[in-house]
Amino acid sequence: MTIKKPCVLVIHGPNLNLLGKREPNIYGKLTLDEINANILDKANKLGIIVDFIQSNHEGSIVDALQEAEGQYKGIIINAAAFTHYSIAIRDAIAAITVPAIEVHLSNIYKRESFRHHSIISSVVYGQISGFGGSSYLLALEAVADIISNES
Amino acid sequence: MTIKKPCVLVIHGPNLNLLGKREPNIYGKLTLDEINANILDKANKLGIIVDFIQSNHEGSIVDALQEAEGQYKGIIINAAAFTHYSIAIRDAIAAITVPAIEVHLSNIYKRESFRHHSIISSVVYGQISGFGGSSYLLALEAVADIISNES
Amino acid sequence: MTIKKPCVLVIHGPNLNLLGKREPNIYGKLTLDEINANILDKANKLGIIVDFIQSNHEGSIVDALQEAEGQYKGIIINAAAFTHYSIAIRDAIAAITVPAIEVHLSNIYKRESFRHHSIISSVVYGQISGFGGSSYLLALEAVADIISNES
Amino acid sequence: MTIKKPCVLVIHGPNLNLLGKREPNIYGKLTLDEINANILDKANKLGIIVDFIQSNHEGSIVDALQEAEGQYKGIIINAAAFTHYSIAIRDAIAAITVPAIEVHLSNIYKRESFRHHSIISSVVYGQISGFGGSSYLLALEAVADIISNES
Amino acid sequence: MTIKKPCVLVIHGPNLNLLGKREPNIYGKLTLDEINANILDKANKLGIIVDFIQSNHEGSIVDALQEAEGQYKGIIINAAAFTHYSIAIRDAIAAITVPAIEVHLSNIYKRESFRHHSIISSVVYGQISGFGGSSYLLALEAVADIISNES
Amino acid sequence: MTIKKPCVLVIHGPNLNLLGKREPNIYGKLTLDEINANILDKANKLGIIVDFIQSNHEGSIVDALQEAEGQYKGIIINAAAFTHYSIAIRDAIAAITVPAIEVHLSNIYKRESFRHHSIISSVVYGQISGFGGSSYLLALEAVADIISNES
Amino acid sequence: MTIKKPCVLVIHGPNLNLLGKREPNIYGKLTLDEINANILDKANKLGIIVDFIQSNHEGSIVDALQEAEGQYKGIIINAAAFTHYSIAIRDAIAAITVPAIEVHLSNIYKRESFRHHSIISSVVYGQISGFGGSSYLLALEAVADIISNES
Amino acid sequence: MTIKKPCVLVIHGPNLNLLGKREPNIYGKLTLDEINANILDKANKLGIIVDFIQSNHEGSIVDALQEAEGQYKGIIINAAAFTHYSIAIRDAIAAITVPAIEVHLSNIYKRESFRHHSIISSVVYGQISGFGGSSYLLALEAVADIISNES
Amino acid sequence: MTIKKPCVLVIHGPNLNLLGKREPNIYGKLTLDEINANILDKANKLGIIVDFIQSNHEGSIVDALQEAEGQYKGIIINAAAFTHYSIAIRDAIAAITVPAIEVHLSNIYKRESFRHHSIISSVVYGQISGFGGSSYLLALEAVADIISNES
Amino acid sequence: MTIKKPCVLVIHGPNLNLLGKREPNIYGKLTLDEINANILDKANKLGIIVDFIQSNHEGSIVDALQEAEGQYKGIIINAAAFTHYSIAIRDAIAAITVPAIEVHLSNIYKRESFRHHSIISSVVYGQISGFGGSSYLLALEAVADIISNES
Amino acid sequence: MTIKKPCVLVIHGPNLNLLGKREPNIYGKLTLDEINANILDKANKLGIIVDFIQSNHEGSIVDALQEAEGQYKGIIINAAAFTHYSIAIRDAIAAITVPAIEVHLSNIYKRESFRHHSIISSVVYGQISGFGGSSYLLALEAVADIISNES
Amino acid sequence: MTIKKPCVLVIHGPNLNLLGKREPNIYGKLTLDEINANILDKANKLGIIVDFIQSNHEGSIVDALQEAEGQYKGIIINAAAFTHYSIAIRDAIAAITVPAIEVHLSNIYKRESFRHHSIISSVVYGQISGFGGSSYLLALEAVADIISNES
């Protein structure tokens, strides 16, 4: 008898596809592909299957969140710019029952004041920010922990 | 000689496709399909043809509003999360001459404070909120009234 | 055996007795008597008995709301200026169990900013605004709907 | 042939009946009767008939303003405390066509900050404040001037 | 030789006549009559005569405050909703020389934010809030203390 | 023996030299010369000597206010744009002992919100606004009254 | 068989040890020792044992609150300056089950605006302020009342 | 040997496709096609190749900005409604190295207050607004200037 | 027959005489004389006569604006520090009929937040900012365009 | 040759000693000792030595932070109530070179609004919140990662 | 060989010429001449040459600051009313390289709230306020210290 | 007969013990010991005895301020982080009669905005900030001046 590995969805918000090229002093030198590779690596060790989405379109992220229901055991979301104004994404996270973890590469409290407020913080499970690409890895560990507690 | 029945466009904003499943204590138990069926029912009685759009994409709602010009006699819009920040939707409503009515299922003033402000309120014809699925039916009646006054 | 028709109380706030004379570009040309006649007309069709109150005195409106308990199945209230500051009226609405619907003739969001905030919105059942005298008629329909759902 | 003298209504708001007794360091030593006597004196010289109202009831002042329409050529109003929150009085002033002049005994800008904002200022003809009982006399002169310009 | 007992006026603001019926989870189960009976009881023990007023009309409370001058040695006022906006009541309290004590049944700081600010606090002698009907009894004791210190 | 007539200084702030030409819908059709002629006329009747200053330079108005000390019995100042930000003019008014009256041609509360706040209001004797050129004449009368009370 | 008397802890916040010496026009002439003596007096009459703490150290007050759990039936706290910013004290009050009553000697609403907000108000049982040293005595009575209702 | 002409991307935001039809009193009578024709004309004179994008979809504009990197020497962007809230567009402009110029047809400071703030202003090279269709032409000239300075 | 060339007034506000010396990292290395020479150059090409004013005195700029009426076909104004608080300059621009264009050397939205708000923006024809000395040249072109459209 | 294990300091702020007893619906059922045991467990696996401090005294936490310099390779701090107002703790974190990670048991964005702002966020390395006791474990992992990257 | 003594410029802002006469309870009894004499006295002892300027004209102070460049080793400025709004003076201080010290006679934090904010504070070297005429003397000493450190 | 030298207490707030090590670009390179040595030096010259306290504990500073009464002729306090939130320290300064001078090493107006507001400014004698270690020396001179004026 085989036990199905739990699936986790990683959502990268707008402009994160430029990682490594865009303002590396803020966002680090890793490209999105390299970050994703690190995530896969970690996921392997944790026995988790990971899918990735990157989109510059708010609506596509809302769609993805809705479709995650029943498909995934956890969501890791770096909503990037949408963090600060997309009530649509907030409502989608609140509408589904999959636990979502908010991550940020940079410490958003060291940046422009309009980045200090997250519209999605009050509907996610928890937040991890400031650890560069490792923010995702810590979130993956947190998800693994949540999944193992639930099962 | 046949008189053409007036057409009305009903626009459902982001996450409304989850109705009935999402937080039923706030939004009620009716699914979007059931609400639409009720609207069609009422429309039949009022001699009105109704088309429906639901989208999680702000741009698609802007497109739909623009294309409504000349096609519809009235618009009923529940912009959901977009109500509170989409100036693009506001501008589209202001740019067309079709009267639009803003509806909400819940009484938005009983909810989080960021939902108390509607960016589209000052460009719509009127607002109806708090009556659950019936908010749409009352809006349809209002539209019928506006159309009959114009003709 | 006769079934008693349900009674609904319509409350008109301060200065609404001037309707038709006062700033008709904002409030329309209908006098309060004409609006009340239209309401009675609609009430007849819906099998509802309607009583009317108009007062420029906040305290009298609070009294009327208190006395409505047990006497009426629904309240339609256009609190006019009191909408924006009368916590006494708000508390009276909250204190009774009769559902109250807030109506406004004009779209208050197209007017002075101090009219954008309603102190009673969070304690009423729902809001209807912007449809001129028809705001009351739609509210009556909504009340009829609420009553029929309850019985 | 006799020419009818123009009539002016002077409205004293809440607690002004205590003038002379209440905080004389702020409001001066004149009683309301003495102020009214001075107003009558001045009115005689200007050929104006003056009526007086004092009320602690917002609704009564709204009633008086409404009834002034067609009866008076001008209104002088010291709304006292109501100056700062009575939108009902504001709406009544805006609803009638009689020009109203806002007066204050004290310079309200030297007092508590909540007295710095007048809700009626934007609907009155002009403001006169800070001259004690003479504020009314100056207002009477201003009204006489407005009346003579209109005829 | 008989010594006249001191008189104290207890003022109950709008909607307090509904006590015991209205939202008992907030305001407790005691009716206003039961609270008044408890106050009389306590007054008897303290050798104080108590009169009561309850009104939903701001103007009537202003009238009562003005008339208290010279008649009462102390005032206990639960201005209820008026606490938060009636500058007229505030001015009346400030205008008379009878010490007034502000009471509230509930701890207003545990409720809606618009109830956190009292417009009358800065002109009363002291505040007592949160002890249910006992708030009045403690206030009576405080008044007795003030009276005995003065005589 | 001759009694010296009291002198009053009238200060016109920036851009008032354009009166009659500049935005007549706001400021009226009278030129500054015509207004000054009316003031002189009124002054003659009141037995007052009037001097005039108009300047677009804040510093010149401060100088004039300082030099008024000991020379004038009263000051009438329409600080125009400076009303809203010149703390230097405010300090000059506060520093001298000559009573100053603030006048405005238009009702500033009907205009842009940045014109609703006057930085000098709390240091002047009183305010008169909204009566067009007559604002100055009423102020002159007020000054005459103050002077006669002092002597 | 002896019944153990209930114990109440009275906490005096920073600078209250200076009472009687510090700004007596605000805080009165009684020293802290005299106030405590009065409290003991009253406690004796009520059959209550009282302990006292005064500290200028926020942490010591937090410690005391924590240790009160299980030892005391009620707490009377005048947090003085800490009232306005010590979230640590607030959290301690919220964390324990002993009812706490907030007292102030002066009417804090007559003082600087930063003293108008209490960070602990929403977690205490009730507030008593403005009665000088008697604020504590009234609080003691309130505590006695709460204890007798519980037992 | 031929020198490649520099390419410039012109981005038109939401609802600009309605130009000429939508509120011509605000936006002028020129259609978007006519404006684009004028831009091409000017571009020809300046030896610049211009591409155009119009979209009602925020994500599409973000995509276009990202793809402009390496393809264009300059960007002219009228983000329309997105100007005021799209942090995603802001981040895209900041992420690429192509200089972007913000243009507006109307003087946005003469319009609703929510249009006074641009979220992209601090990341663009410069702003040009208020000149109708000519705003684009001036921007093109500015771009030509920047390009010639760089080469 | 000769056609008179149109005249344009260029106004440089306070501290702009220090250009080239003052904080060149913000304002560039060009001196004011060099910028003026470039403007003259461009004016020659456009067939426009240009006059220049630089002043550190607000009043002198108001005077210059007033005197421009009838003398100039357009005004280019860099009000520098006055941009942010001089209502007097704003009123002067509004009072005259000559179109004025607001220019800034730097992108003011990249600087201190108090520089983000321009008090004159809502009364000028348009704004151009961020292009260094070229901001003036673009403004000159815009003026030429406005003049040619008017004639 | 032995390699010295890296040391990490875990700082628990005020009232965290009550964990497990205090409001378990917010903070969970684990006691502080149990959490510390879990941390030690994890530390063992990561080859890290951990020391613990818990204090209700702000000054003691500042002292501990200062003394950590040179003694520890990383700090994990749950400043609890101090998170929101202790600039002294913020300055201590900024003054030392040891990287500090901010953790919270609960998702502070789901709680009272005064808990949404952290005064220390902009000086720590990163934040982890909302995962209950696991927040500390994730932080420990993050610290281990930082240490291994540095060496 | 003689060493040239360093020169320092002392700038007195608007209304300071009235010192000793104007509100002596706030500004003290010393006249400006007496203060200047004290400054000269101190300067003599420190081997410094001092020049003085007093002006009610903002522009003149800007001019003086600009001309100080290269002439003076230090500036002591009491900008008086201009402290709170003159961005022109702020820009002038920032534009020159001479260190400027901000002084105030009174403790501005004990006065009206609009005096609590200084627009020049962030560009001066340091501030000294509250010591009456001695504020200048301390500033002179500070300047002497700065000069001696530089040479 | 010997005259006792006056004593002055110098209070250093939290983290100032790290001076010279902590962020020397902001606070300078001098250690606290070196600064104290300089103060002693200066005190010797002025004939003043100086005592020093440094504490990271708010309560200890309150204690020290209270104990200063009667022991010291003046206090020099750099409250560091406590400057911005410790109402307890503010109240202690207000409660004692010893004059206190607020000093800061850095110009706090060039730093984070939360450092721009001092809660103690309105109760100290004067402020000196921005001169590094010399701020203390200037304050000592100021104290010497105050003491000599008093005796």
Side-chain angles (χ1 to χ4, degrees), chain F residues 28-45:
Chain F
K29 289 178 195 168
L30 289 178
T31 64
L32 191 57
D33 283 349
E34 291 165 338
I35 284 176
N36 285 349
N38 289 346
I39 294 173
L40 280 177
D41 226 52
K42 178 90 172 190
N44 267 346
K45 289 179 197 145

Side-chain angles (χ1 to χ4, degrees), chain I residues 122-138:
Chain I
S122 62
V123 294
V124 299
Y125 191 99
Q127 298 89 27
I128 297 173
S129 69
F131 303 97
S134 301
S135 290
Y136 290 96
L137 306 184
L138 292 164

Side-chain angles (χ1 to χ4, degrees), chain A residues 58-59 63 66 88 90-91 95, chain B residues 15 17 22 56-57 85 115:
Chain A
E58 180 196 32
D63 291 345
Q66 291 189 355
R90 174 197 167 102
D91 282 357
Chain B
N15 297 303
N17 54 326
R22 170 196 179 197
N56 297 328
H57 296 251
Y85 63 105
R115 290 198 211 273

Side-chain angles (χ1 to χ4, degrees), chain C residues 38-60:
Chain C
N38 289 346
I39 294 173
L40 280 177
D41 225 52
K42 179 90 173 190
N44 266 347
K45 288 178 197 146
L46 293 166
I48 286 175
I49 294 172
V50 176
D51 288 336
F52 297 98
I53 284 179
Q54 190 279 328
S55 179
N56 297 327
H57 296 251
E58 180 196 32
S60 303

Side-chain angles (χ1 to χ4, degrees), chain H:
Chain H
M1 190 198 84
T2 56
I3 295 174
K4 212 183 130 216
K5 283 188 187 174
C7 298
V8 167
L9 178 64
V10 175
I11 300 177
H12 301 294
N15 297 304
L16 290 174
N17 54 326
L18 300 182
L19 272 179
K21 301 154 218 166
R22 170 196 180 197
E23 303 167 271
N25 59 320
I26 299 177
Y27 299 101
K29 290 179 194 166
L30 288 179
T31 64
L32 191 57
D33 282 350
E34 291 165 339
I35 284 176
N36 285 347
N38 290 345
I39 294 172
L40 280 176
D41 226 53
K42 179 90 174 189
N44 267 346
K45 289 178 197 146
L46 293 165
I48 286 174
I49 294 171
V50 177
D51 287 336
F52 297 98
I53 285 178
Q54 190 281 327
S55 179
N56 297 327
H57 296 251
E58 179 195 33
S60 304
I61 293 178
V62 173
D63 290 345
L65 284 161
Q66 291 190 357
E67 289 157 17
E69 187 76 347
Q71 305 294 328
Y72 295 96
K73 290 287 189 190
I75 292 168
I76 294 170
I77 181 163
N78 179 348
F82 293 149
T83 303
H84 312 298
Y85 62 105
S86 175
I87 303 176
I89 289 177
R90 173 198 169 101
D91 282 358
I93 294 173
I96 59 177
T97 62
V98 191
I101 295 178
E102 178 184 359
V103 303
H104 298 284
L105 296 160
S106 62
N107 180 338
I108 56 178
Y109 302 101
K110 289 188 174 159
R111 303 182 59 199
E112 304 98 319
S113 65
F114 68 78
R115 289 197 212 275
H116 295 188
H117 179 250
S118 162
I119 197 78
I120 67 171
S121 278
S122 62
V123 294
V124 298
Y125 192 97
Q127 299 88 28
I128 297 174
S129 68
F131 303 97
S134 301
S135 290
Y136 290 96
L137 306 184
L138 292 164
L140 201 59
E141 201 139 350
V143 168
D145 199 47
I146 296 167
I147 293 171
S148 74
N149 285 340
E150 279 172 353
S151 57

